[in-house]
Amino acid sequence: MNDPTVPTVPFAEDPGTGPGTGPGTEPGPGVGPETGPDRPGRRRMLRGALAVAGAVALRPLVAATPAAAEPAGPAASAAAVVVRRFGRYEVLALLDAHGPFPGTAQAAFPDATATDWERARRLDPAAFGPNDAWQLDFRCYAVRRPGGRVTLVDTGIGPVGSPASGWAPVPGRLPAVLARVGIAPADVETVVLTHLHEDHYGWSVTPEGVPVFPNARYVVQHAEVAALGPTRTARTYVVEPLLRAGQLHEVDGHTVLGGRARPGGGAITLLPTPGHTPGHQSVLVDGGGDRLLLTGDVLVHAVQLATPGVRYLFEADPETARRSREQLLGEARRTGAVLGTAHLNRPFVRPWTPTGHTPPH
């Protein structure tokens, strides 16, 4: 997974790295216009699941403005940012929001067994709300390199008026959390979008189409953009504004961000992990000895950490998603990598093994 021959996207003024170049969600192969991941039907299905579950409330976490989106109290404040170091990289897990998913957990993971749920409960007890509600975090990650340059992985659910407003607990608080840790929008030089679902690109642009991070290249897999139909929300809301601003950067396959992957570590690498969407990608942060895999939506609930074969209702290609999940988790176990998750209620966890789960990292 850390191949020195893969294309390289250079960072500006990255000491100790050589120059490089890099090549430039809906429906996957055989998926029609009504079944892509960013379609009106997806939102209708979410709302329908919400009704079936007895109208579980999607409570906004904060009041109307991002500036007011600070968590209340010491415990909430501590949960908003979790910091870990991986070699030369400081990685900050940034909580944009927390709330219930529409519908029940069993409806979202229809194949999960009682044993699967028992394992999942041990791994992430906070995910289990009353009446089979699924409680989840909406989390982004900032990777800060020497000199303060920042790569942001995903941008959360966004403000009121973002596409996630129909089902997610908007407004998110990412801008306030970034400000708390000393990261200004202009400090972000790269935004990696793991995929183009609305709870992962919400703070990429304003509802008026202005890029939130003015100096950043927004990096997404070409396959993800190519799968979008011309009227899809992801294309009109985020892709087209970024194209107009000259800030969208499409890559194709394994790509190293800055420098070159090498035995001593010190690289950030994009890893294609399709299935959840056609061009889903995960991110390997290799600090040299310490490795972190930012999973995006390769796994969205601890039930998929406990039993990787469990299908999620909103995967575009469940079989491909299962293979990506099993391969990523296998690589994490083989190399001792930590997982950085988007939706589990603990940001940094170790892979579960069949002989018994490994405690959170």
Side-chain angles (χ1 to χ4, degrees):
M1 295 177 69
N2 201 4
D3 184 351
T5 66
V6 299
T8 301
V9 178
F11 286 116
E13 301 176 5
D14 189 8
T17 62
T21 58
T25 24
E26 312 236 318
V31 179
E34 295 303 313
T35 58
D38 185 35
R39 61 199 184 278
R42 179 173 184 262
R43 296 182 188 176
R44 287 195 297 270
M45 191 179 299
L46 286 166
R47 287 194 292 268
L50 176 60
V52 170
V56 177
L58 291 178
R59 302 181 301 276
L61 288 172
V62 291
T65 64
E70 288 288 351
S77 177
V81 181
V82 180
V83 183
R84 288 295 311 275
R85 179 162 289 280
F86 295 84
R88 69 195 293 257
Y89 301 110
E90 181 185 56
V91 179
L92 302 90
L94 308 171
L95 186 65
D96 188 44
H98 175 87
F101 193 77
T104 66
Q106 188 67 60
F109 304 93
D111 303 331
T113 67
T115 299
D116 299 332
W117 291 120
E118 180 184 354
R119 293 171 177 170
R121 190 180 289 273
R122 295 202 307 268
L123 289 165
D124 190 10
F128 293 83
N131 301 317
D132 196 29
W134 170 18
Q135 300 285 338
L136 70 162
D137 284 353
F138 296 85
R139 188 178 296 108
C140 313
Y141 287 85
V143 182
R144 189 149 48 185
R145 297 178 296 118
R149 294 175 298 279
V150 174
T151 294
L152 184 64
V153 179
D154 286 333
T155 63
I157 59 176
V160 172
S162 69
S165 295
W167 63 275
V170 297
R173 58 195 182 204
L174 180 65
V177 176
L178 285 170
R180 179 191 301 171
V181 297
I183 298 175
D187 296 334
V188 178
E189 70 171 358
T190 306
V191 175
V192 176
L193 296 174
T194 60
H195 62 297
L196 293 175
H197 276 171
E198 57 263 32
D199 56 321
H200 290 258
Y201 65 66
W203 288 108
S204 294
V205 298
T206 68
E208 295 73 35
V210 178
V212 171
F213 304 98
N215 299 328
R217 293 170 304 165
Y218 290 73
V219 182
V220 66
Q221 288 287 330
H222 172 72
E224 188 78 351
V225 177
L228 294 174
T231 61
R232 298 299 188 211
T233 301
R235 181 174 290 279
T236 58
Y237 187 87
V238 67
V239 169
E240 290 177 356
L242 291 176
L243 282 171
R244 288 194 296 269
Q247 290 179 239
L248 188 70
H249 188 90
E250 295 181 39
V251 298
D252 194 2
H254 286 62
T255 304
V256 177
L257 295 182
R260 294 192 179 277
R262 51 192 182 270
I268 302 172
T269 306
L270 307 182
L271 310 173
T273 46
H276 182 75
T277 61
H280 188 284
Q281 61 185 347
S282 300
V283 181
L284 171 63
V285 180
D286 184 357
D290 295 322
R291 293 159 63 96
L292 172 69
L293 281 165
L294 300 175
T295 61
D297 277 3
V298 167
L299 59 94
V300 296
H301 190 288
V303 74
Q304 293 183 301
L305 181 61
T307 311
V310 168
R311 171 175 61 96
Y312 175 45
L313 185 63
F314 299 108
E315 290 168 341
D317 184 340
E319 181 58 24
T320 300
R322 178 191 61 79
R323 288 197 298 268
S324 290
R325 190 158 48 249
E326 290 177 346
Q327 290 169 3
L328 196 73
L329 292 174
E331 178 71 6
R333 285 191 293 267
R334 185 183 67 80
T335 62
V338 176
L339 305 175
T341 67
H343 296 304
L344 273 65
N345 292 277
R346 291 165 172 160
F348 299 110
V349 299
R350 293 281 190 184
W352 188 88
T353 62
T355 56
H357 75 276
T358 301
H361 192 68

